[in-house]
mmCIF file of all heavy atoms in Angstrom:
data_model
loop_
_atom_site.group_PDB
_atom_site.id
_atom_site.type_symbol
_atom_site.label_atom_id
_atom_site.label_comp_id
_atom_site.label_asym_id
_atom_site.label_seq_id
_atom_site.Cartn_x
_atom_site.Cartn_y
_atom_site.Cartn_z
ATOM 1 N N LEU J 240 -13.299 84.562 4.055
ATOM 2 C CA LEU J 240 -13.238 83.739 5.247
ATOM 3 C C LEU J 240 -14.314 82.675 5.274
ATOM 4 O O LEU J 240 -14.475 82.021 6.322
ATOM 5 C CB LEU J 240 -13.371 84.742 6.457
ATOM 6 C CG LEU J 240 -12.305 85.813 6.693
ATOM 7 C CD1 LEU J 240 -12.641 86.654 7.906
ATOM 8 C CD2 LEU J 240 -10.965 85.058 6.868
ATOM 9 N N GLN J 241 -15.091 82.514 4.254
ATOM 10 C CA GLN J 241 -16.068 81.468 4.223
ATOM 11 C C GLN J 241 -15.391 80.105 4.356
ATOM 12 O O GLN J 241 -14.399 79.805 3.840
ATOM 13 C CB GLN J 241 -16.844 81.602 2.920
ATOM 14 C CG GLN J 241 -18.044 82.468 2.901
ATOM 15 C CD GLN J 241 -18.951 82.249 1.679
ATOM 16 O OE1 GLN J 241 -18.617 82.629 0.605
ATOM 17 N NE2 GLN J 241 -20.121 81.783 1.957
ATOM 18 N N GLY J 242 -16.139 79.253 5.190
ATOM 19 C CA GLY J 242 -15.593 77.987 5.450
ATOM 20 C C GLY J 242 -14.579 77.921 6.626
ATOM 21 O O GLY J 242 -14.063 76.866 7.072
ATOM 22 N N LEU J 243 -14.301 79.149 7.189
ATOM 23 C CA LEU J 243 -13.394 79.195 8.330
ATOM 24 C C LEU J 243 -14.173 79.842 9.534
ATOM 25 O O LEU J 243 -14.224 81.076 9.589
ATOM 26 C CB LEU J 243 -12.237 80.091 8.052
ATOM 27 C CG LEU J 243 -11.277 79.634 6.935
ATOM 28 C CD1 LEU J 243 -10.318 80.743 6.573
ATOM 29 C CD2 LEU J 243 -10.557 78.394 7.269
ATOM 30 N N PRO J 244 -14.786 79.049 10.293
ATOM 31 C CA PRO J 244 -15.619 79.610 11.458
ATOM 32 C C PRO J 244 -14.879 80.516 12.387
ATOM 33 O O PRO J 244 -13.779 80.061 12.911
ATOM 34 C CB PRO J 244 -16.136 78.307 12.100
ATOM 35 C CG PRO J 244 -16.028 77.270 11.150
ATOM 36 C CD PRO J 244 -14.854 77.568 10.375
ATOM 37 N N MET J 245 -15.346 81.628 12.667
ATOM 38 C CA MET J 245 -14.647 82.619 13.537
ATOM 39 C C MET J 245 -15.265 82.609 14.876
ATOM 40 O O MET J 245 -16.510 82.402 15.059
ATOM 41 C CB MET J 245 -14.670 84.032 12.888
ATOM 42 C CG MET J 245 -13.914 84.137 11.575
ATOM 43 S SD MET J 245 -12.193 83.833 11.738
ATOM 44 C CE MET J 245 -11.787 83.108 10.186
ATOM 45 N N ALA J 246 -14.498 82.959 15.860
ATOM 46 C CA ALA J 246 -14.972 82.994 17.244
ATOM 47 C C ALA J 246 -15.089 84.385 17.829
ATOM 48 O O ALA J 246 -15.784 84.701 18.753
ATOM 49 C CB ALA J 246 -14.121 82.074 18.213
ATOM 50 N N GLU J 247 -14.253 85.324 17.235
ATOM 51 C CA GLU J 247 -14.153 86.670 17.787
ATOM 52 C C GLU J 247 -13.895 87.690 16.621
ATOM 53 O O GLU J 247 -13.309 87.269 15.550
ATOM 54 C CB GLU J 247 -12.930 86.828 18.698
ATOM 55 C CG GLU J 247 -13.082 86.061 20.073
ATOM 56 C CD GLU J 247 -13.943 86.832 21.015
ATOM 57 O OE1 GLU J 247 -14.044 88.079 20.875
ATOM 58 O OE2 GLU J 247 -14.316 86.250 21.964
ATOM 59 N N VAL J 248 -14.400 88.950 16.783
ATOM 60 C CA VAL J 248 -14.115 89.927 15.813
ATOM 61 C C VAL J 248 -13.728 91.243 16.589
ATOM 62 O O VAL J 248 -14.191 91.319 17.783
ATOM 63 C CB VAL J 248 -15.254 90.261 14.865
ATOM 64 C CG1 VAL J 248 -15.560 89.198 13.926
ATOM 65 C CG2 VAL J 248 -16.496 90.599 15.633
ATOM 66 N N ALA J 249 -12.896 92.113 15.989
ATOM 67 C CA ALA J 249 -12.498 93.354 16.677
ATOM 68 C C ALA J 249 -12.349 94.377 15.647
ATOM 69 O O ALA J 249 -11.770 94.168 14.517
ATOM 70 C CB ALA J 249 -11.188 93.153 17.449
ATOM 71 N N ALA J 250 -12.747 95.620 15.839
ATOM 72 C CA ALA J 250 -12.733 96.711 14.859
ATOM 73 C C ALA J 250 -11.990 97.859 15.456
ATOM 74 O O ALA J 250 -12.286 98.281 16.565
ATOM 75 C CB ALA J 250 -14.079 97.140 14.359
ATOM 76 N N GLY J 251 -10.930 98.305 14.818
ATOM 77 C CA GLY J 251 -10.115 99.472 15.248
ATOM 78 C C GLY J 251 -10.487 100.751 14.530
ATOM 79 O O GLY J 251 -11.672 100.759 13.973
ATOM 80 N N GLY J 252 -9.724 101.792 14.585
ATOM 81 C CA GLY J 252 -10.031 102.965 13.888
ATOM 82 C C GLY J 252 -10.282 102.661 12.457
ATOM 83 O O GLY J 252 -11.408 103.057 11.895
ATOM 84 N N TRP J 253 -9.331 102.017 11.711
ATOM 85 C CA TRP J 253 -9.417 101.678 10.381
ATOM 86 C C TRP J 253 -8.836 100.363 10.021
ATOM 87 O O TRP J 253 -8.408 100.136 8.903
ATOM 88 C CB TRP J 253 -8.732 102.848 9.537
ATOM 89 C CG TRP J 253 -9.348 104.128 9.746
ATOM 90 C CD1 TRP J 253 -10.410 104.785 9.150
ATOM 91 C CD2 TRP J 253 -8.897 105.168 10.730
ATOM 92 N NE1 TRP J 253 -10.722 105.963 9.669
ATOM 93 C CE2 TRP J 253 -9.806 106.243 10.592
ATOM 94 C CE3 TRP J 253 -7.912 105.214 11.649
ATOM 95 C CZ2 TRP J 253 -9.656 107.385 11.466
ATOM 96 C CZ3 TRP J 253 -7.814 106.287 12.507
ATOM 97 C CH2 TRP J 253 -8.626 107.361 12.357
ATOM 98 N N HIS J 254 -8.850 99.484 10.939
ATOM 99 C CA HIS J 254 -8.397 98.125 10.758
ATOM 100 C C HIS J 254 -9.355 97.109 11.469
ATOM 101 O O HIS J 254 -10.108 97.533 12.351
ATOM 102 C CB HIS J 254 -6.909 97.933 11.152
ATOM 103 C CG HIS J 254 -6.631 97.892 12.605
ATOM 104 N ND1 HIS J 254 -6.729 99.034 13.430
ATOM 105 C CD2 HIS J 254 -6.237 96.895 13.466
ATOM 106 C CE1 HIS J 254 -6.498 98.702 14.669
ATOM 107 N NE2 HIS J 254 -6.116 97.429 14.703
ATOM 108 N N SER J 255 -9.260 95.840 11.017
ATOM 109 C CA SER J 255 -10.050 94.732 11.534
ATOM 110 C C SER J 255 -9.242 93.563 11.905
ATOM 111 O O SER J 255 -8.245 93.243 11.221
ATOM 112 C CB SER J 255 -11.112 94.418 10.499
ATOM 113 O OG SER J 255 -11.855 95.564 10.125
ATOM 114 N N VAL J 256 -9.743 92.754 12.896
ATOM 115 C CA VAL J 256 -9.097 91.578 13.291
ATOM 116 C C VAL J 256 -10.152 90.520 13.695
ATOM 117 O O VAL J 256 -11.216 90.930 14.126
ATOM 118 C CB VAL J 256 -8.231 91.753 14.574
ATOM 119 C CG1 VAL J 256 -7.495 90.500 14.988
ATOM 120 C CG2 VAL J 256 -7.092 92.831 14.181
ATOM 121 N N CYS J 257 -9.945 89.340 13.392
ATOM 122 C CA CYS J 257 -10.835 88.239 13.743
ATOM 123 C C CYS J 257 -10.035 87.015 14.216
ATOM 124 O O CYS J 257 -8.888 86.840 13.763
ATOM 125 C CB CYS J 257 -11.932 87.891 12.807
ATOM 126 S SG CYS J 257 -11.271 87.172 11.308
ATOM 127 N N VAL J 258 -10.587 86.279 15.164
ATOM 128 C CA VAL J 258 -9.938 85.027 15.665
ATOM 129 C C VAL J 258 -10.812 83.892 15.302
ATOM 130 O O VAL J 258 -12.024 83.879 15.552
ATOM 131 C CB VAL J 258 -9.834 85.141 17.136
ATOM 132 C CG1 VAL J 258 -9.087 83.912 17.695
ATOM 133 C CG2 VAL J 258 -8.894 86.379 17.540
ATOM 134 N N SER J 259 -10.160 82.865 14.683
ATOM 135 C CA SER J 259 -10.996 81.687 14.322
ATOM 136 C C SER J 259 -11.232 80.674 15.544
ATOM 137 O O SER J 259 -10.589 80.893 16.527
ATOM 138 C CB SER J 259 -10.250 80.924 13.233
ATOM 139 O OG SER J 259 -9.054 80.153 13.782
ATOM 140 N N GLU J 260 -12.090 79.783 15.316
ATOM 141 C CA GLU J 260 -12.372 78.853 16.474
ATOM 142 C C GLU J 260 -11.186 77.998 16.723
ATOM 143 O O GLU J 260 -11.118 77.332 17.771
ATOM 144 C CB GLU J 260 -13.619 77.982 16.028
ATOM 145 C CG GLU J 260 -14.903 78.770 16.017
ATOM 146 C CD GLU J 260 -16.141 77.943 15.673
ATOM 147 O OE1 GLU J 260 -15.853 76.745 15.419
ATOM 148 O OE2 GLU J 260 -17.247 78.414 15.874
ATOM 149 N N THR J 261 -10.270 77.863 15.814
ATOM 150 C CA THR J 261 -8.991 77.057 16.002
ATOM 151 C C THR J 261 -7.864 77.942 16.521
ATOM 152 O O THR J 261 -6.697 77.436 16.706
ATOM 153 C CB THR J 261 -8.666 76.386 14.742
ATOM 154 O OG1 THR J 261 -8.315 77.400 13.685
ATOM 155 C CG2 THR J 261 -9.592 75.371 14.248
ATOM 156 N N GLY J 262 -8.079 79.236 16.778
ATOM 157 C CA GLY J 262 -7.036 80.092 17.453
ATOM 158 C C GLY J 262 -6.203 80.830 16.487
ATOM 159 O O GLY J 262 -5.210 81.464 16.868
ATOM 160 N N ASP J 263 -6.580 80.833 15.119
ATOM 161 C CA ASP J 263 -5.803 81.647 14.170
ATOM 162 C C ASP J 263 -6.305 83.064 14.154
ATOM 163 O O ASP J 263 -7.469 83.377 14.475
ATOM 164 C CB ASP J 263 -6.007 81.042 12.771
ATOM 165 C CG ASP J 263 -5.277 79.632 12.645
ATOM 166 O OD1 ASP J 263 -4.266 79.402 13.245
ATOM 167 O OD2 ASP J 263 -5.819 78.877 11.889
#
Side-chain angles (χ1 to χ4, degrees):
L240 297 177
Q241 274 192 289
L243 299 171
M245 297 295 148
E247 292 279 341
V248 292
W253 301 273
H254 71 291
S255 304
V256 178
C257 63
V258 178
S259 75
E260 291 184 353
T261 58
D263 292 326

